[in-house]
Amino acid sequence: CLWTLAAILKETLKDAPVPRAGVLKKLLAPLDAVLEGFYNAILLHHFDSHHYTSPYSEPTNNLISFIDLLEALLASRIELELLHRCQRILFLKVSYVLNVISSSIPYVIKKKLILLLKKCVLYKSREDAKSGSLFLQTPSLCEDMLALSNAVLQVVNLTWLNQVTLSGKSSYFGSSEAAPGHESQGGSDQTVLRALSLVVLKALEFKIHNSATEAEIK
């Protein structure tokens, strides 16, 4: 069901703007409360349990399918601005995602979620899309980004970054070790490290631009 819904969203976004907006409105309106409830239920799960120790287990695959659906909902939010609650949930309740990232969930899920947050702060629906200007968008987007920025900065101000593990080894064709003559750059995943740094910097930038007083900026 998750895969089917994500596939329908992605295919619909390929259509012309006017008809696809009508289709997505009909699709998402009755699912709005359902998807928010599902978001709450699946991301408040106990991810340190043995069910999630393998990246190939059924619970892990279900979670990956749900992240794909969140990505499709984000794309619809960016490209069409329909403003259903389920399109905004990733921004408004991003603390759930931040908790999953710092848990002992398989690394493949952490990476997908961090790259999804990167798309949020860049306001991009796809990797090949241009970044949107957050300062020229609608009030609802500013509200969403402020909620996301506040949540990110709140956990970063504590010990959240220290709890986020980066993969000890990068994967290469044929082995998990770097080829001769190629350093593995300390063994950490540079793609995720850059994405995570960007999320923090963009959250800080947006918070500063939307702070009312000098004391709040400091």
Side-chain angles (χ1 to χ4, degrees), residues 54-76:
S54 169
Y56 307 106
S57 66
E58 185 177 352
T60 302
N61 283 329
N62 289 341
L63 188 53
I64 288 173
S65 294
F66 183 63
I67 296 170
D68 289 339
L69 175 58
L70 288 178
E71 192 170 351
L73 287 169
L74 174 64
S76 70

Side-chain angles (χ1 to χ4, degrees), residues 186-200:
S188 59
D189 188 330
Q190 299 299 301
T191 301
V192 170
L193 191 58
R194 285 192 297 269
L196 197 54
S197 301
L198 187 63
V199 168
V200 175

Side-chain angles (χ1 to χ4, degrees), residues 144-164:
D144 289 358
M145 270 305 303
L146 197 56
L148 185 145
S149 298
N150 285 334
V152 168
L153 294 176
Q154 187 174 3
V155 296
V156 167
N157 201 36
L158 301 172
T159 59
W160 182 77
L161 281 176
N162 295 334
Q163 299 167 18
V164 179

Side-chain angles (χ1 to χ4, degrees), residues 74 77-78 81 91 116-125 130-150 152 198-210:
L74 174 64
R77 167 83 169 91
I78 292 169
E81 193 74 18
F91 293 89
L116 182 60
L117 289 181
K118 174 188 163 188
K119 289 181 180 178
C120 288
V121 298
L122 292 179
Y123 205 51
K124 289 170 64 173
S125 56
K130 292 183 178 180
S131 300
S133 173
L134 293 173
F135 311 110
L136 300 175
Q137 300 290 341
T138 60
S140 63
L141 174 63
C142 288
E143 181 185 337
D144 289 358
M145 270 305 303
L146 197 56
L148 185 145
S149 298
N150 285 334
V152 168
L198 187 63
V199 168
V200 175
L201 287 171
K202 283 290 184 181
L204 190 60
E205 178 191 25
F206 193 80
K207 179 66 175 175
I208 288 172
H209 275 274
N210 288 274

